[in-house]
Amino acid sequence: MSSPSHTHDPTGASPPGHGPLLRPLEAVGFWAAVALPFIYVPLILRGLDTSSMQLTVAVLIVVHLLALIAGHRYNAD
């Protein structure tokens, strides 16, 4: 029994279910993943004294992870 081939498609065809509506979502996810550390790193360096600050940083990190997932295929060649 052989395993399926995972080669790159030189035609640039998108996988099934990868429509034109997902392209903007990937772009937003990618650029959000790039920009979010510039927001939460200074917050962490400032200090996590209050529970609201801790919650804010935790939410930003979760949003960053979601952005990484959404944008990981953006402009992949």
Coordinates of all heavy atoms in Angstrom, one line a residue:
M1 N 0.8 -1.2 0.0 CA 0.0 0.0 0.0 C 0.9 1.2 0.0 O 1.8 1.4 0.8 CB -0.9 0.0 1.2 CG -1.8 1.2 1.3 SD -2.8 1.2 2.8 CE -4.3 0.6 2.1
S2 N 0.7 2.1 -0.9 CA 1.5 3.3 -1.0 C 0.7 4.5 -0.4 O -0.5 4.5 -0.3 CB 1.9 3.6 -2.5 OG 0.7 3.9 -3.2
S3 N 1.5 5.5 0.0 CA 0.9 6.7 0.5 C 0.6 7.7 -0.6 O 1.3 7.7 -1.6 CB 1.9 7.3 1.6 OG 3.1 7.7 1.0
P4 N -0.3 8.6 -0.4 CA -0.6 9.6 -1.4 C 0.5 10.6 -1.6 O 1.3 10.9 -0.7 CB -1.9 10.3 -0.9 CG -1.9 10.1 0.6 CD -1.2 8.8 0.8
S5 N 0.6 11.0 -2.9 CA 1.7 12.0 -3.2 C 1.3 13.4 -2.7 O 0.2 13.8 -2.9 CB 1.9 11.9 -4.7 OG 2.8 12.9 -5.1
H6 N 2.3 14.0 -2.2 CA 2.1 15.4 -1.7 C 3.0 16.4 -2.4 O 3.8 17.1 -1.9 CB 2.4 15.5 -0.2 CG 1.5 14.7 0.7 ND1 0.1 15.1 0.9 CD2 1.6 13.6 1.4 CE1 -0.4 14.2 1.7 NE2 0.4 13.3 2.0
T7 N 2.8 16.4 -3.7 CA 3.7 17.2 -4.6 C 3.0 18.6 -4.8 O 1.8 18.7 -4.7 CB 4.0 16.6 -5.9 OG1 2.8 16.3 -6.6 CG2 4.8 15.3 -5.7
H8 N 3.8 19.6 -5.1 CA 3.3 20.9 -5.4 C 2.7 20.9 -6.8 O 3.2 20.4 -7.7 CB 4.4 21.9 -5.3 CG 4.0 23.3 -5.6 ND1 3.2 24.0 -4.8 CD2 4.4 24.1 -6.7 CE1 3.0 25.2 -5.4 NE2 3.7 25.3 -6.5
D9 N 1.5 21.5 -6.9 CA 0.8 21.6 -8.2 C 1.3 22.8 -8.9 O 1.1 24.0 -8.5 CB -0.7 21.8 -7.9 CG -1.5 21.8 -9.2 OD1 -0.9 21.6 -10.3 OD2 -2.7 22.0 -9.2
P10 N 2.1 22.6 -10.0 CA 2.7 23.8 -10.7 C 1.7 24.7 -11.4 O 2.0 25.8 -11.8 CB 3.6 23.1 -11.7 CG 3.1 21.7 -11.9 CD 2.4 21.4 -10.6
T11 N 0.5 24.2 -11.6 CA -0.6 25.0 -12.3 C -1.1 26.1 -11.4 O -1.8 27.0 -11.8 CB -1.7 24.1 -12.8 OG1 -2.4 23.6 -11.6 CG2 -1.2 23.1 -13.7
G12 N -0.8 26.0 -10.1 CA -1.3 27.0 -9.1 C -2.8 26.8 -8.8 O -3.4 27.7 -8.2
A13 N -3.4 25.7 -9.1 CA -4.8 25.4 -8.8 C -5.0 25.3 -7.3 O -4.2 24.8 -6.6 CB -5.2 24.2 -9.5
S14 N -6.0 25.9 -6.9 CA -6.3 25.9 -5.4 C -7.0 24.6 -5.1 O -7.6 23.9 -5.9 CB -7.3 27.0 -5.1 OG -6.7 28.3 -5.3
P15 N -6.8 24.1 -3.8 CA -7.4 22.9 -3.4 C -8.9 23.1 -3.4 O -9.4 24.2 -3.3 CB -6.8 22.7 -2.0 CG -6.3 23.9 -1.6 CD -6.0 24.7 -2.8
P16 N -9.7 22.0 -3.4 CA -11.1 22.1 -3.4 C -11.6 22.8 -2.1 O -11.0 22.7 -1.1 CB -11.6 20.6 -3.3 CG -10.4 19.8 -3.7 CD -9.2 20.6 -3.5
G17 N -12.6 23.7 -2.3 CA -13.1 24.5 -1.2 C -12.3 25.7 -0.9 O -12.6 26.4 0.0
H18 N -11.3 26.0 -1.7 CA -10.5 27.1 -1.5 C -10.9 28.2 -2.5 O -10.2 28.4 -3.5 CB -9.0 26.7 -1.6 CG -8.0 27.8 -1.2 ND1 -7.7 28.0 0.1 CD2 -7.3 28.7 -2.0 CE1 -6.9 29.0 0.1 NE2 -6.6 29.4 -1.1
G19 N -11.9 28.9 -2.2 CA -12.5 29.8 -3.1 C -11.9 31.2 -3.0 O -11.1 31.5 -2.2
P20 N -12.4 32.1 -3.9 CA -11.9 33.5 -3.8 C -12.2 34.2 -2.6 O -11.6 35.2 -2.3 CB -12.5 34.1 -5.1 CG -13.7 33.3 -5.4 CD -13.4 31.9 -4.9
L21 N -13.2 33.8 -1.8 CA -13.5 34.5 -0.6 C -12.5 34.2 0.5 O -12.4 35.0 1.5 CB -14.9 34.1 -0.1 CG -16.1 34.5 -1.0 CD1 -17.4 34.0 -0.5 CD2 -16.1 36.0 -1.2
L22 N -11.8 33.1 0.4 CA -10.8 32.8 1.4 C -9.5 33.6 1.3 O -8.8 33.8 2.3 CB -10.5 31.3 1.4 CG -11.6 30.4 1.9 CD1 -11.1 28.9 1.8 CD2 -12.0 30.7 3.3
R23 N -9.2 34.1 0.1 CA -8.0 34.8 -0.1 C -7.9 36.1 0.7 O -6.9 36.3 1.4 CB -7.9 35.2 -1.6 CG -6.7 35.8 -2.0 CD -5.6 34.8 -2.2 NE -4.4 35.5 -2.7 CZ -3.2 35.1 -2.3 NH1 -3.0 34.1 -1.6 NH2 -2.2 35.8 -2.8
P24 N -9.0 36.9 0.8 CA -8.9 38.1 1.7 C -8.7 37.7 3.2 O -8.0 38.3 4.0 CB -10.2 38.8 1.5 CG -10.7 38.4 0.2 CD -10.2 37.0 0.0
L25 N -9.4 36.6 3.6 CA -9.3 36.1 5.0 C -7.8 35.7 5.3 O -7.3 36.0 6.3 CB -10.2 34.9 5.2 CG -10.2 34.3 6.6 CD1 -10.6 35.3 7.6 CD2 -11.0 33.0 6.6
E26 N -7.2 35.0 4.3 CA -5.8 34.6 4.5 C -4.9 35.9 4.6 O -4.0 35.9 5.4 CB -5.3 33.8 3.3 CG -5.9 32.4 3.3 CD -5.5 31.6 2.1 OE1 -5.0 32.2 1.1 OE2 -5.8 30.4 2.1
A27 N -5.2 36.9 3.8 CA -4.3 38.1 3.8 C -4.5 38.8 5.2 O -3.5 39.2 5.8 CB -4.7 39.0 2.7
V28 N -5.7 38.9 5.6 CA -5.9 39.6 6.9 C -5.3 38.8 8.0 O -4.6 39.3 8.9 CB -7.5 39.7 7.2 CG1 -7.7 40.2 8.6 CG2 -8.0 40.8 6.2
G29 N -5.4 37.4 8.0 CA -4.8 36.6 9.0 C -3.3 36.7 9.0 O -2.7 36.8 10.1
F30 N -2.7 36.7 7.8 CA -1.2 36.8 7.7 C -0.8 38.2 8.3 O 0.1 38.2 9.1 CB -0.8 36.7 6.2 CG 0.6 36.9 6.0 CD1 1.5 35.9 6.2 CD2 1.1 38.2 5.6 CE1 2.9 36.1 6.1 CE2 2.5 38.4 5.4 CZ 3.4 37.4 5.7
W31 N -1.4 39.3 7.9 CA -0.9 40.6 8.3 C -1.2 40.8 9.8 O -0.5 41.5 10.5 CB -1.4 41.7 7.4 CG -0.7 41.6 6.1 CD1 -1.2 41.2 4.9 CD2 0.7 41.9 5.9 NE1 -0.2 41.2 3.9 CE2 1.0 41.6 4.5 CE3 1.8 42.3 6.7 CZ2 2.2 41.8 3.9 CZ3 3.0 42.4 6.1 CH2 3.3 42.2 4.8
A32 N -2.3 40.2 10.3 CA -2.6 40.3 11.7 C -1.6 39.6 12.5 O -1.1 40.0 13.6 CB -4.0 39.8 12.0
A33 N -1.2 38.4 12.0 CA -0.1 37.6 12.7 C 1.2 38.4 12.7 O 2.0 38.2 13.7 CB 0.0 36.3 12.0
V34 N 1.5 39.2 11.7 CA 2.7 40.0 11.7 C 2.6 41.1 12.7 O 3.6 41.4 13.4 CB 3.0 40.5 10.2 CG1 4.1 41.5 10.2 CG2 3.3 39.3 9.3
A35 N 1.4 41.8 12.7 CA 1.3 43.0 13.5 C 1.0 42.8 15.0 O 1.4 43.6 15.8 CB 0.2 43.9 12.9
L36 N 0.3 41.7 15.4 CA -0.1 41.5 16.8 C 1.1 41.5 17.8 O 0.9 42.1 18.9 CB -0.9 40.3 16.9 CG -2.4 40.5 16.5 CD1 -3.1 39.2 16.4 CD2 -3.1 41.4 17.4
P37 N 2.2 40.9 17.5 CA 3.3 41.0 18.5 C 3.7 42.4 18.8 O 4.2 42.7 20.0 CB 4.4 40.2 17.8 CG 3.8 39.3 16.9 CD 2.6 40.0 16.4
F38 N 3.5 43.4 17.9 CA 3.9 44.7 18.2 C 2.9 45.4 19.2 O 3.2 46.4 19.8 CB 3.9 45.6 16.9 CG 5.0 45.2 16.0 CD1 4.8 44.5 14.9 CD2 6.3 45.6 16.3 CE1 5.8 44.2 14.0 CE2 7.4 45.3 15.5 CZ 7.1 44.6 14.3
I39 N 1.8 44.7 19.5 CA 0.8 45.2 20.4 C 1.0 44.5 21.8 O 1.1 45.1 22.8 CB -0.6 45.0 19.9 CG1 -0.8 45.8 18.6 CG2 -1.6 45.3 21.0 CD1 -2.1 45.5 18.0
Y40 N 1.0 43.1 21.8 CA 1.0 42.4 23.1 C 2.4 42.3 23.7 O 2.5 42.2 24.9 CB 0.3 41.1 23.0 CG 1.0 40.0 22.2 CD1 2.1 39.3 22.7 CD2 0.4 39.5 21.1 CE1 2.6 38.3 22.1 CE2 1.0 38.5 20.4 CZ 2.1 37.8 20.9 OH 2.6 36.8 20.2
V41 N 3.5 42.4 23.0 CA 4.8 42.4 23.6 C 5.0 43.6 24.5 O 5.4 43.4 25.7 CB 5.9 42.2 22.6 CG1 7.3 42.4 23.2 CG2 5.9 40.8 22.0
P42 N 4.7 44.8 24.1 CA 4.8 46.0 25.0 C 3.9 45.8 26.2 O 4.3 46.3 27.3 CB 4.5 47.2 24.1 CG 4.7 46.7 22.7 CD 4.4 45.3 22.7
L43 N 2.7 45.3 26.0 CA 1.8 45.1 27.2 C 2.5 44.1 28.2 O 2.4 44.3 29.4 CB 0.5 44.5 26.7 CG -0.4 45.5 25.9 CD1 -1.6 44.8 25.4 CD2 -0.8 46.7 26.7
I44 N 3.1 43.1 27.7 CA 3.7 42.1 28.6 C 4.9 42.8 29.3 O 5.1 42.6 30.5 CB 4.2 40.9 27.9 CG1 3.0 40.1 27.4 CG2 5.1 40.0 28.7 CD1 3.3 38.9 26.5
L45 N 5.7 43.6 28.6 CA 6.8 44.2 29.2 C 6.4 45.3 30.2 O 7.1 45.6 31.2 CB 7.7 44.9 28.1 CG 8.4 43.9 27.2 CD1 9.2 44.6 26.1 CD2 9.4 43.0 27.9
R46 N 5.2 45.9 30.0 CA 4.7 46.9 30.9 C 4.3 46.2 32.3 O 4.4 46.8 33.3 CB 3.5 47.5 30.3 CG 2.9 48.6 31.1 CD 1.7 49.2 30.4 NE 0.9 50.0 31.3 CZ -0.3 50.2 31.2 NH1 -1.0 49.8 30.1 NH2 -1.0 50.9 32.1
G47 N 3.9 45.0 32.2 CA 3.5 44.3 33.4 C 2.1 43.8 33.4 O 1.3 44.4 32.8
L48 N 1.9 42.7 34.0 CA 0.6 42.0 34.1 C 0.1 42.1 35.5 O -0.3 41.1 36.1 CB 0.7 40.6 33.6 CG 1.2 40.4 32.2 CD1 1.4 38.9 31.8 CD2 0.3 41.0 31.1
D49 N 0.0 43.3 36.0 CA -0.4 43.5 37.4 C -1.9 43.3 37.6 O -2.3 42.7 38.7 CB -0.1 45.0 37.8 CG 1.4 45.2 37.7 OD1 2.2 44.3 37.8 OD2 1.8 46.4 37.5
T50 N -2.7 43.7 36.7 CA -4.2 43.6 36.9 C -4.8 42.4 36.1 O -4.2 41.9 35.1 CB -4.9 44.8 36.5 OG1 -4.8 45.0 35.1 CG2 -4.4 46.1 37.2
S51 N -5.9 41.9 36.6 CA -6.5 40.8 35.9 C -7.0 41.2 34.5 O -7.0 40.4 33.6 CB -7.7 40.2 36.7 OG -8.7 41.2 37.0
S52 N -7.4 42.5 34.4 CA -7.9 42.9 33.1 C -6.7 42.9 32.1 O -6.9 42.6 30.9 CB -8.5 44.3 33.1 OG -7.6 45.2 33.6
M53 N -5.5 43.3 32.5 CA -4.3 43.3 31.7 C -3.9 41.8 31.3 O -3.6 41.6 30.1 CB -3.1 44.0 32.4 CG -1.9 44.1 31.5 SD -2.1 45.1 30.1 CE -1.8 46.7 30.8
Q54 N -4.0 40.9 32.2 CA -3.8 39.5 32.0 C -4.7 39.0 31.0 O -4.3 38.3 30.0 CB -3.8 38.7 33.3 CG -2.7 39.1 34.3 CD -3.0 38.5 35.6 OE1 -4.0 37.8 35.9 NE2 -2.1 38.7 36.5
L55 N -6.0 39.3 31.1 CA -7.0 38.8 30.2 C -6.8 39.4 28.8 O -6.9 38.7 27.8 CB -8.4 39.2 30.7 CG -9.6 38.8 29.8 CD1 -9.6 37.2 29.7 CD2 -10.9 39.3 30.4
T56 N -6.4 40.7 28.7 CA -6.2 41.3 27.4 C -5.1 40.7 26.7 O -5.2 40.4 25.5 CB -5.9 42.8 27.6 OG1 -7.0 43.5 28.3 CG2 -5.6 43.5 26.3
V57 N -4.0 40.4 27.4 CA -2.8 39.7 26.8 C -3.2 38.3 26.3 O -2.8 37.9 25.3 CB -1.6 39.8 27.7 CG1 -0.5 38.9 27.2 CG2 -1.1 41.2 27.9
A58 N -3.9 37.6 27.2 CA -4.3 36.2 26.8 C -5.2 36.2 25.6 O -5.0 35.4 24.7 CB -5.1 35.6 28.0
V59 N -6.1 37.2 25.5 CA -7.0 37.2 24.3 C -6.2 37.6 23.1 O -6.4 37.0 22.0 CB -8.2 38.3 24.6 CG1 -8.9 38.6 23.3 CG2 -9.1 37.7 25.6
L60 N -5.3 38.5 23.2 CA -4.4 38.9 22.1 C -3.6 37.7 21.6 O -3.4 37.5 20.4 CB -3.5 40.1 22.4 CG -4.2 41.4 22.4 CD1 -3.3 42.5 23.0 CD2 -4.7 41.8 21.1
I61 N -3.1 36.9 22.5 CA -2.3 35.7 22.1 C -3.2 34.7 21.4 O -2.8 34.1 20.4 CB -1.6 35.1 23.3 CG1 -0.5 36.1 23.8 CG2 -1.0 33.7 23.0 CD1 0.2 35.7 25.1
V62 N -4.4 34.5 21.9 CA -5.3 33.6 21.2 C -5.7 34.1 19.8 O -5.7 33.4 18.8 CB -6.6 33.4 22.1 CG1 -7.7 32.6 21.3 CG2 -6.2 32.6 23.3
V63 N -5.9 35.4 19.7 CA -6.2 36.0 18.4 C -5.0 35.9 17.5 O -5.1 35.6 16.3 CB -6.6 37.5 18.6 CG1 -6.7 38.2 17.2 CG2 -8.0 37.6 19.3
H64 N -3.8 36.0 18.0 CA -2.6 35.8 17.2 C -2.5 34.4 16.7 O -2.2 34.1 15.5 CB -1.4 36.1 18.1 CG -0.1 36.2 17.3 ND1 1.1 36.1 17.9 CD2 0.2 36.3 16.0 CE1 2.1 36.1 17.0 NE2 1.5 36.2 15.8
L65 N -2.8 33.4 17.5 CA -2.8 32.0 17.1 C -3.8 31.8 16.0 O -3.5 31.1 15.0 CB -3.0 31.1 18.3 CG -1.9 31.0 19.3 CD1 -2.4 30.2 20.5 CD2 -0.7 30.3 18.7
L66 N -5.0 32.3 16.1 CA -6.0 32.2 15.1 C -5.6 32.9 13.8 O -5.8 32.4 12.7 CB -7.4 32.8 15.6 CG -8.0 32.0 16.7 CD1 -9.2 32.8 17.2 CD2 -8.4 30.6 16.3
A67 N -4.9 34.0 13.9 CA -4.4 34.7 12.7 C -3.3 33.9 12.0 O -3.3 33.8 10.8 CB -3.9 36.1 13.1
L68 N -2.5 33.2 12.8 CA -1.5 32.3 12.2 C -2.1 31.2 11.5 O -1.7 30.8 10.4 CB -0.6 31.8 13.3 CG 0.4 32.8 13.9 CD1 1.1 32.2 15.2 CD2 1.5 33.1 12.9
I69 N -3.2 30.6 12.0 CA -3.9 29.5 11.4 C -4.5 30.0 10.1 O -4.4 29.4 9.0 CB -4.9 28.9 12.3 CG1 -4.1 28.2 13.5 CG2 -5.8 27.9 11.6 CD1 -5.0 27.7 14.6
A70 N -5.2 31.2 10.2 CA -5.9 31.7 9.0 C -5.0 32.1 7.9 O -5.3 32.0 6.7 CB -6.8 32.9 9.4
G71 N -3.8 32.7 8.3 CA -2.9 33.2 7.3 C -1.8 32.4 6.9 O -0.9 32.9 6.1
H72 N -1.7 31.2 7.3 CA -0.5 30.4 7.0 C -0.3 30.0 5.6 O 0.8 29.7 5.1 CB -0.5 29.1 7.9 CG -1.3 28.0 7.4 ND1 -2.7 27.9 7.6 CD2 -1.0 26.9 6.7 CE1 -3.1 26.8 7.1 NE2 -2.1 26.2 6.5
R73 N -1.4 30.1 4.8 CA -1.2 29.7 3.3 C -1.2 31.0 2.5 O -1.1 30.9 1.2 CB -2.4 28.9 2.9 CG -2.4 27.5 3.6 CD -3.5 26.7 3.0 NE -3.2 26.6 1.6 CZ -3.9 25.8 0.7 NH1 -4.9 25.2 1.2 NH2 -3.6 25.8 -0.5
Y74 N -1.2 32.2 3.0 CA -1.2 33.4 2.3 C 0.1 33.5 1.4 O 1.2 33.4 1.9 CB -1.3 34.6 3.2 CG -1.3 35.9 2.5 CD1 -2.3 36.3 1.6 CD2 -0.2 36.8 2.6 CE1 -2.2 37.5 0.9 CE2 -0.1 38.0 2.0 CZ -1.1 38.3 1.1 OH -1.1 39.5 0.5
N75 N -0.1 33.7 0.1 CA 1.0 33.9 -0.8 C 2.0 32.8 -0.8 O 3.2 33.0 -1.0 CB 1.6 35.3 -0.5 CG 2.1 35.9 -1.8 OD1 1.8 35.5 -2.9 ND2 2.9 37.0 -1.7
A76 N 1.6 31.6 -0.5 CA 2.5 30.4 -0.5 C 2.8 30.0 -1.9 O 1.9 29.8 -2.7 CB 1.9 29.3 0.3
D77 N 4.0 29.9 -2.3 CA 4.4 29.5 -3.6 C 4.9 28.1 -3.7 O 5.5 27.5 -2.9 CB 5.5 30.4 -4.2 CG 5.0 31.9 -4.4 OD1 3.8 32.0 -4.8 OD2 5.7 32.8 -4.1

